């Protein structure tokens, strides 16, 4: 069997001065044990760990029923959510979609996202798009009370009710939320929307393998069964209490580097379709580890594009960065550089070579240049960009994040720091109950 993921941490070792790999291995294995036994911090939020192996065929059927129902007449699906309630599906859909799909014959509804910002122009453009296309909506919020998606849903809902009438609007709305609590659950019950529940013990950024991720991904025409099979295969591999466990190896390498004052982890990809996978990864690690004034700062770059913008800094700026480079072994498409008689661009030395070969040589060259420049390197490779391998990759990152958080000594499953901006925003918006704080804040503006 082709390995699901290849990890190489050999280019980390030369940078370790303060500690050894084996010290970190011991800590990471203890952290894995805590995760597996549910004895660490935030252990009431470990439901994500067995989602892939425990998935029921009934869930695939319920999702398929909605896909089929909407396939008949829906041109536009607006997926409303923010943070963990949108980034997972956005990452997978972007990674597996044709970059020029809008120019190709239409297959299924177009999936767009809303509620991940509160920008007026974005929302008014969405309203314009909904006027032109037969629209349905998937609204996702675990708490059911998050302001950004709630605002977007109010507008989308109003459009659907006005345009299609109450009965038809109900067919066009699916809500994914807490099984009992929150304004969204209440609204869905009162209005009679179709719903899916997000398990109590699964937090937003770990929810891609629940209906939060699966429904939008399936509506985009992606095979979610394969995604879950890949994740389940990785679930088994990363349960192994061994230094060979790739999730342990990754957690070891990044924690060892953090202890060497490498404070920024750059996720490097060579595939533009992985831009949102990087965004998902940034949220996963940033929101899980950035606590108690600790934690690696997760950042991302897309090469070779960003070698022409950030390459200078990485090569030669402050030495507080390391790279985690994610590559794909084989491309899905095919393009070869042609030979020309004139060779006026001087590229005939590449004639007959695949574009992917050039990309790989750029990656090898960059790896060596950056290592020589003092940037440690963790290398990750998946065989192909398919639902199966992406499912495995996302699960790998989730598991490694749980291990890493425990090695760091934080609770990787809460996000109390996110509340500070919310309180101020509510106060400034005069939300009932926040008036006094609003007066104080306005004096500081
Ligand atoms: O990871 C998390 O828990 C957060 O990013 C949430 O997903 C995000 O804040 C959205 O929350 P909710 O789904 O409750 O609207």
């Amino acid at each position: 069997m082709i390995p699901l993921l290849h990890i190489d941490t050999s280019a980390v070792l030369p940078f370790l001065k303060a500690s050894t790999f084996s010290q970190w291995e011991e800590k990471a294995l203890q952290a894995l044990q805590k995760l597996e036994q549910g004895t660490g911090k935030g252990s009431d939020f470990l439901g994500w760990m067995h989602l892939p192996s425990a998935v029921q065929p009934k869930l695939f059927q319920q999702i398929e029923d909605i896909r089929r129902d909407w396939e008949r007449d829906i041109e536009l699906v607006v997926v409303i959510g923010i943070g963990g309630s949108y980034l997972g599906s956005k990452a997978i859909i972007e990674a597996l979609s044709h970059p020029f799909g809008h120019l190709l014959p239409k297959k299924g509804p177009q999936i767009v996202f809303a509620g991940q910002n509160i920008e007026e122009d974005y929302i008014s453009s969405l309203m314009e798009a909904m006027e032109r296309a037969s629209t349905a909506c998937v609204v996702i919020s675990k708490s059911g009370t998050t302001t950004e998606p709630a605002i977007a849903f109010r507008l989308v809902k109003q459009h659907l009710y006005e345009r299609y009438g109450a009965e038809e609007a109900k067919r066009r709305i699916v809500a994914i939320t807490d099984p009992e609590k929150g304004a969204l659950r209440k609204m869905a019950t009162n209005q009679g929307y179709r719903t899916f529940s997000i398990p109590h013990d699964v937090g937003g950024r770990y929810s891609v393998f629940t209906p939060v991720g699966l429904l939008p991904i399936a509506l985009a025409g992606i095979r979610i069964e394969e995604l879950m099979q890949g994740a389940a295969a990785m679930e088994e591999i990363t349960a192994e209490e061994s230094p060979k466990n790739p999730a342990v190896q990754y957690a070891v390498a990044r924690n060892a580097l953090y202890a060497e004052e490498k404070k920024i982890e750059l996720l490097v990809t060579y595939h533009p379709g992985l831009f949102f996978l990087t965004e998902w990864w940034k949220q996963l690690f940033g929101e899980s580890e950035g606590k108690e004034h600790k934690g690696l700062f997760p950042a991302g770059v897309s090469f070779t594009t960003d070698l022409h913008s950030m390459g200078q800094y990485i090569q030669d700026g402050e030495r507080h960065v390391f790279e985690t480079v994610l590559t794909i072994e084989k491309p899905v498409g095919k393009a070869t550089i042609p030979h020309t008689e004139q060779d006026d661009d001087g590229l005939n030395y590449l004639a007959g070579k695949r574009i992917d070969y050039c990309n790989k040589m750029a990656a090898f060259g960059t790896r060596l240049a950056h290592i020589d420049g003092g940037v440690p390197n963790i290398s990750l490779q998946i065989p192909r960009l398919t639902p199966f391998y992406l499912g495995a990759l996302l699960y790998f990152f989730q598991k490694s994040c749980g291990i890493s958080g425990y090695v760091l000594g934080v609770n990787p499953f809460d996000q109390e720091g996110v509340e500070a901006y919310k309180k101020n925003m509510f106060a400034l918006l005069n939300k009932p109950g926040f008036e006094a704080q609003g007066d104080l804040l306005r004096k500081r503006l």
Side-chain angles (χ1 to χ4, degrees):
M1 188 184 151
I2 310 173
L4 300 183
L5 174 110
H6 179 74
I7 178 163
D8 177 3
T9 57
S10 58
V12 167
L13 291 172
F15 294 91
L16 301 188
K17 293 179 203 86
S19 54
T20 61
F21 232 66
S22 57
Q23 284 170 277
W24 291 103
E25 252 168 29
E26 211 171 297
K27 289 186 193 185
L29 286 169
Q30 280 166 9
L32 173 65
Q33 223 169 49
K34 279 192 205 165
L35 265 185
E36 294 294 336
Q37 293 168 3
T39 53
K41 291 180 185 170
S43 58
D44 41 347
F45 276 95
L46 295 182
W48 57 273
M49 283 179 59
H50 302 295
L51 286 170
S53 59
V55 69
Q56 298 295 319
K58 194 172 142 218
L59 176 63
F60 293 133
Q61 193 52 53
Q62 286 165 335
I63 289 175
E64 180 61 9
D65 289 347
I66 291 169
R67 197 190 67 75
R68 289 244 168 127
D69 176 22
W70 286 0
E71 188 183 42
R72 294 185 282 129
D73 58 344
I74 301 297
E75 296 165 308
L76 183 71
V77 176
V78 183
V79 177
I80 297 177
I82 196 166
S85 288
Y86 106 98
L87 278 167
S89 61
K90 176 79 177 165
I92 298 287
I93 293 170
E94 289 281 316
L96 296 174
S97 296
H98 195 295
F100 308 105
H102 58 289
L103 300 172
L104 300 178
K106 206 167 112 347
K107 268 203 233 140
Q110 195 173 340
I111 313 294
V112 297
F113 290 83
Q116 82 283 38
N117 64 62
I118 32 178
E119 202 236 353
E120 188 155 337
D121 287 347
Y122 188 91
I123 292 277
S124 64
S125 304
L126 175 69
M127 302 303 290
E128 212 181 305
M130 290 194 301
E131 285 300 335
R132 288 158 191 256
S134 172
T135 304
C137 159
V138 179
V139 53
I140 308 170
S141 176
K142 175 150 192 227
S143 61
T145 54
T146 308
T147 311
E148 292 90 335
I151 292 174
F153 184 50
R154 183 180 271 221
L155 284 144
V156 172
K157 192 174 74 173
Q158 188 183 42
H159 166 86
L160 296 177
Y161 275 72
E162 282 176 8
R163 175 128 183 216
Y164 304 104
E167 267 318 298
E168 176 59 12
K170 277 186 219 169
R171 183 181 77 85
R172 290 169 181 252
I173 295 173
V174 172
I176 306 179
T177 188
D178 183 273
E180 292 122 30
K181 295 191 309 285
L184 183 57
R185 171 58 63 184
K186 205 164 149 196
M187 232 189 287
T189 308
N190 291 343
Q191 301 288 326
Y193 303 146
R194 285 181 279 187
T195 63
F196 289 92
S197 293
I198 309 171
H200 286 302
D201 54 357
V202 179
R205 59 193 175 277
Y206 294 85
S207 68
V208 62
F209 300 119
T210 72
V212 170
L214 297 178
L215 178 62
I217 293 169
L219 291 171
I222 294 164
R223 297 175 304 272
I224 52 173
E225 288 87 346
E226 287 178 28
L227 185 88
M228 291 300 265
Q229 281 159 10
M234 188 56 86
E235 180 187 322
E236 199 181 322
I237 291 170
T238 56
E240 202 193 335
E241 284 183 24
S242 148
K244 288 196 185 130
N245 177 334
V248 169
Q249 287 182 33
Y250 181 43
V252 165
R254 52 199 302 286
N255 277 286
L257 289 168
Y258 182 56
E260 300 287 341
E261 300 295 315
K262 302 293 178 195
K263 304 275 187 189
I264 298 171
E265 177 175 10
L266 275 182
L267 184 67
V268 177
T269 60
Y270 282 82
H271 308 271
L274 296 183
F275 179 85
F276 273 96
L277 188 127
T278 301
E279 294 303 297
W280 172 86
W281 171 90
K282 278 160 62 180
Q283 188 210 357
L284 178 67
F285 281 92
E287 213 167 67
S288 298
E289 293 189 318
K291 285 159 200 174
E292 302 169 27
H293 297 182
K294 297 195 275 193
L296 279 161
F297 183 84
V301 282
S302 178
F303 288 171
T304 61
T305 312
D306 292 336
L307 284 170
H308 297 259
S309 59
M310 295 301 289
Q312 171 63 36
Y313 188 101
I314 300 166
Q315 185 68 47
D316 211 19
E318 193 170 343
R319 302 295 71 190
H320 54 178
V321 177
F322 74 89
E323 290 179 320
T324 295
V325 181
L326 172 63
T327 54
I328 295 158
E329 197 185 336
K330 284 208 175 87
V332 177
K334 190 169 181 188
T336 304
I337 298 174
H339 179 274
T340 65
E341 277 313 312
Q342 305 85 345
D343 193 26
D344 41 6
D345 51 12
L347 285 181
N348 267 357
Y349 76 101
L350 291 176
K353 296 273 190 289
R354 299 273 297 263
I355 302 287
D356 186 61
Y357 166 81
C358 302
N359 208 21
K360 292 227 160 48
M361 293 309 113
F364 286 139
T366 306
R367 173 185 157 93
L368 296 178
H370 288 182
I371 291 171
D372 292 346
V375 181
N377 182 294
I378 301 170
S379 183
L380 304 174
Q381 188 170 68
I382 59 169
R384 297 237 199 322
L385 213 45
T386 64
F388 182 83
Y389 291 118
L390 279 172
L393 180 69
L394 263 58
Y395 188 89
F396 158 80
F397 278 134
Q398 288 183 338
K399 190 66 174 280
S400 204
C401 185
I403 300 171
S404 261
Y406 281 170
V407 171
L408 190 66
V410 298
N411 175 356
F413 308 113
D414 66 2
Q415 57 283 323
E416 280 161 28
V418 182
E419 297 309 309
Y421 102 89
K422 288 188 191 169
K423 282 186 197 138
N424 285 356
M425 178 176 76
F426 292 151
L428 292 169
L429 288 171
N430 280 325
K431 185 172 176 171
F434 290 82
E435 295 85 349
Q437 211 185 331
D439 292 339
L440 288 174
L441 288 178
R442 267 181 286 276
K443 286 187 193 135
R444 290 174 55 199
L445 291 180

